[in-house]
Amino acid sequence: MSSEIALGIEKIRGTIESALKDGATLGSLNDCRIAVFGKKGAMTGLQKMLGKLSPQERPEAGKIINGAKDEFQSKLDEAIEKLERQKLTEMELRDRVDVTQPARGRACGGAHPVVQVTMDVLEVLEGLGFVTVTGPEIETDFFNFEALNIPPHHPARDMQDTFYFGDGRLLRTHTSGMEIHAMLDMGAPLRVACPGRVYRRDNDPTHSPMFHQVEGLVVDKNISVGDLKGCLEAMIHGVFGRKLKARYRASYFPFTEPSMEVDIECFKCGGSDCRCQICKGTGWLEIGGMGMCHPNVLRYGGIDPDVYNGFAWGMGLDRIAMLKYGLTDLRALFDGDVSYLLSGRHE
């Protein structure tokens, strides 16, 4: 074997032993590995020297070089594995969890503004004796229109901008159809609140193709408009957290007679001429429609209008959330703005 190769092997051995001394780190050992076994490393240089030897010397020299290579590789691998185990142990000790300690807990996310308003509304209504019921979002024409006194030729159907399926079913345009379901399922007397998603072909800063409503229905004997107003104002005061003035305007809905719409005083400006963005200087905010149940609707629900009467109202929960939290654009509720939803400004 060439003395130059033997000298090279001893030089590499000294380099590795120096790298393995106390204070070695994973970084220094990896640097040593590259210096010895890399493409331009010392061991690669030794292997290239084999070509300079005679055919008789070459097998023996190759065997010695390969043996040295295996020895050096084993030493480096063993040292690196030892340091990696030490590093892992240190990490485990540093990051370990003492399961015997009491839990520290973690912060929970808040409810979405629309969900929070829905819970607020239902909490007040349940305190007034209402039962919460839900129904299908894919409805039939009968429950969504016909049973609510809206026959096929009625112009109110054009106001709904309905999403129809090819088989005659549709995405419900309001939660009012739950009135019929509730009357057929529960009979009279009854008090039900019906929250849920509804759908219409509409999309602008104050309207969305999918939004949320809550329907309230009371059927009993000797029900009056005074009962309707008292129930509604109790709900408004409970949701907004203080008494607010309300005014009622005559309106028209096919399923109620008489029909009204209700406005509440602007909870920001209190009706003063301040031109606030919420009420636009009018001092009033529209929140929903209502009225006494039309006799035809009671009949479709299997209830005799000569014995029972009742009232119903429908409100947009998204609209209530906008008013309660001072929003001017409905889309802010559904844009996925996590910074707003997690800020707590709506709680």
Side-chain angles (χ1 to χ4, degrees):
M1 181 181 69
S2 168
S3 60
E4 189 178 356
I5 292 177
L7 187 62
I9 290 175
E10 290 305 316
K11 186 177 180 181
I12 294 173
R13 179 175 283 108
T15 299
I16 291 177
E17 289 177 353
S18 178
L20 295 178
K21 287 182 179 179
D22 292 342
T25 64
L26 285 172
S28 65
L29 292 182
N30 281 319
D31 290 341
C32 180
R33 185 203 296 270
I34 294 171
V36 173
F37 300 106
K39 289 183 178 180
K40 298 181 181 180
M43 188 59 69
T44 304
L46 284 180
Q47 291 174 322
K48 289 180 179 179
M49 290 182 183
L50 290 173
K52 299 178 181 180
L53 300 178
S54 65
Q56 293 79 12
E57 293 177 307
R58 201 174 297 158
E60 182 66 22
K63 183 177 179 181
I64 293 173
I65 290 174
N66 287 332
K69 180 180 178 181
D70 291 341
E71 175 193 345
F72 300 153
Q73 184 73 61
S74 177
K75 287 183 177 181
L76 279 175
D77 287 345
E78 183 180 347
I80 289 174
E81 183 181 354
K82 181 179 179 181
L83 288 178
E84 286 178 341
R85 286 199 303 268
Q86 289 176 353
K87 183 178 179 181
L88 182 59
T89 301
E90 290 171 359
M91 290 175 59
E92 289 176 344
L93 291 173
R94 184 180 68 246
D95 301 333
R96 71 187 182 90
V97 176
D98 186 351
V99 295
T100 65
Q101 294 296 315
R104 289 178 295 178
R106 59 184 177 182
C108 297
H112 188 279
V114 175
V115 174
Q116 184 61 57
V117 164
T118 303
M119 293 189 295
D120 294 342
V121 168
L122 296 179
E123 182 180 5
V124 174
L125 292 178
E126 288 170 1
L128 296 174
F130 283 72
V131 175
T132 300
V133 296
T134 58
E137 294 178 20
I138 298 178
E139 268 290 13
T140 64
D141 184 272
F142 173 80
F143 285 103
N144 198 78
F145 289 125
E146 188 173 347
L148 295 173
N149 205 36
I150 310 177
H153 62 276
H154 201 288
R157 292 200 181 213
D158 298 333
M159 299 168 55
Q160 305 296 317
D161 295 321
T162 310
F163 290 100
Y164 285 97
F165 293 98
D167 57 3
R169 296 178 302 159
L170 51 90
L171 289 175
R172 65 181 181 187
T173 60
H174 44 203
T175 50
S176 301
M178 277 304 301
E179 295 180 24
I180 308 302
H181 284 289
M183 287 188 286
L184 291 174
D185 292 343
M186 304 170 69
L190 81 161
R191 296 185 189 186
V192 292
C194 316
R197 288 186 291 262
V198 298
Y199 306 85
R200 296 183 191 177
R201 296 179 184 269
D202 211 347
N203 190 23
D204 59 48
T206 57
H207 297 86
S208 169
M210 183 211 75
F211 53 104
H212 303 77
Q213 284 188 340
V214 62
E215 188 82 11
L217 172 67
V218 172
V219 176
D220 209 332
K221 296 178 180 179
N222 301 317
I223 296 295
S224 69
V225 172
D227 298 317
L228 166 58
K229 290 183 176 180
C231 182
L232 192 66
E233 291 176 22
M235 185 191 73
I236 293 171
H237 300 159
V239 171
F240 287 93
R242 62 187 178 90
K243 288 190 175 182
L244 296 171
K245 293 179 182 178
R247 70 176 185 182
Y248 299 85
R249 295 175 285 106
S251 187
Y252 170 74
F253 303 106
F255 31 83
T256 53
E257 181 59 39
S259 301
M260 298 171 285
E261 290 181 295
V262 62
D263 303 328
I264 59 172
E265 66 172 306
C266 178
F267 49 85
K268 182 175 181 180
C269 68
S272 62
D273 186 19
C274 71
R275 305 289 179 184
C276 79
Q277 289 187 344
I278 296 178
C279 70
K280 296 179 172 59
T282 65
W284 295 96
L285 302 166
E286 177 187 341
I287 62 168
M290 69 213 67
M292 303 301 292
C293 293
H294 195 287
N296 289 343
V297 174
L298 293 175
R299 292 190 184 97
Y300 275 116
I303 294 174
D304 187 350
D306 294 326
V307 178
Y308 293 96
N309 65 338
F311 61 78
W313 78 81
M315 291 183 179
L317 291 166
D318 307 331
R319 172 70 170 162
I320 298 295
M322 285 182 65
L323 299 178
K324 184 171 182 178
Y325 303 124
L327 299 175
T328 57
D329 191 329
L330 178 70
R331 290 171 292 195
L333 294 170
F334 305 106
D335 280 344
D337 185 350
V338 176
S339 63
Y340 168 72
L341 297 177
L342 296 182
S343 67
R345 292 196 296 269
H346 62 276
E347 296 180 354

